[in-house]
Amino acid sequence: MKALLTAVAAVVFATSAAAGTVNLSNYGHQDLTGFGTDFDDVYALNLSSNTWVSGLLTTGAQLGGLPGIDIQSVTLRRLGAGLDWTEILAINWDVADGGIEKWALTPVQLAAGQWQLEVKGVSYADKTGNGYSASVELPEPASVALAALALAGAGLASARRRKA
């Protein structure tokens, strides 16, 4: 029982450890046409090892008020394959002139290598300062190793209990 409690404590410690965060943003989108201007922003992410990744993207306006930017897709890509983020807060652009949108990537394990984060959308704002900010959470390797060690300890404790 003591080994199981130690393993649980290690899992709690590992999951509460600070994760590395990559912050990306672009608040420079502007529409001078009055009909909306498309954009396609691409950011490079280099993962040195296989790791779990999660993310959140939120639209905003730097000068206050509701942002006039419609995110249409957020995708992580590598070697032609893509992982689509999910829109968790949407705006009905047929009835609203602006609003906050949120997109999320649920935790997923990614292979090491060069990845691209692609954000596609339409800007309806005639002033600069409308855009989005995104954060991609990358756990520290020590945290992942500690969590794996804790799970292995829990498995050994369970196996030892079954033998006794």
Side-chain angles (χ1 to χ4, degrees):
M1 185 66 164
K2 184 178 177 184
L4 183 58
L5 289 176
T6 303
V8 169
V11 168
V12 169
F13 174 74
T15 56
S16 66
T21 303
V22 176
N23 293 309
L24 312 162
S25 64
N26 186 343
Y27 285 94
H29 293 295
Q30 188 175 13
D31 173 37
L32 300 176
T33 69
F35 300 105
T37 301
D38 294 342
F39 64 86
D40 185 355
D41 298 339
V42 178
Y43 304 92
L45 296 172
N46 188 24
L47 302 179
S48 58
S49 62
N50 296 352
T51 188
W52 287 90
V53 175
S54 63
L56 180 67
L57 180 142
T58 304
T59 59
Q62 289 184 322
L63 301 176
L66 294 176
I69 186 165
D70 178 17
I71 303 295
Q72 296 178 336
S73 69
V74 182
T75 307
L76 264 173
R77 294 190 190 282
R78 180 170 183 259
L79 302 174
L83 295 168
D84 292 326
W85 294 34
T86 303
E87 189 171 20
I88 58 174
L89 180 61
I91 301 299
N92 182 346
W93 290 97
D94 293 332
V95 297
D97 291 335
I100 296 174
E101 294 182 351
K102 291 189 178 197
W103 291 72
L105 176 66
T106 56
V108 62
Q109 188 171 25
L110 298 181
Q114 188 73 29
W115 288 81
Q116 289 185 332
L117 177 65
E118 182 178 40
V119 180
K120 290 184 177 184
V122 178
S123 176
Y124 296 108
D126 61 353
K127 297 181 174 75
T128 60
N130 282 267
Y132 59 86
S133 61
S135 61
V136 179
E137 300 292 327
L138 306 168
E140 295 176 357
S143 298
V144 175
L146 185 57
L149 181 62
L151 291 174
L156 287 173
S158 176
R160 182 180 270 171
R161 191 172 349 131
R162 274 186 258 140
K163 282 185 179 180

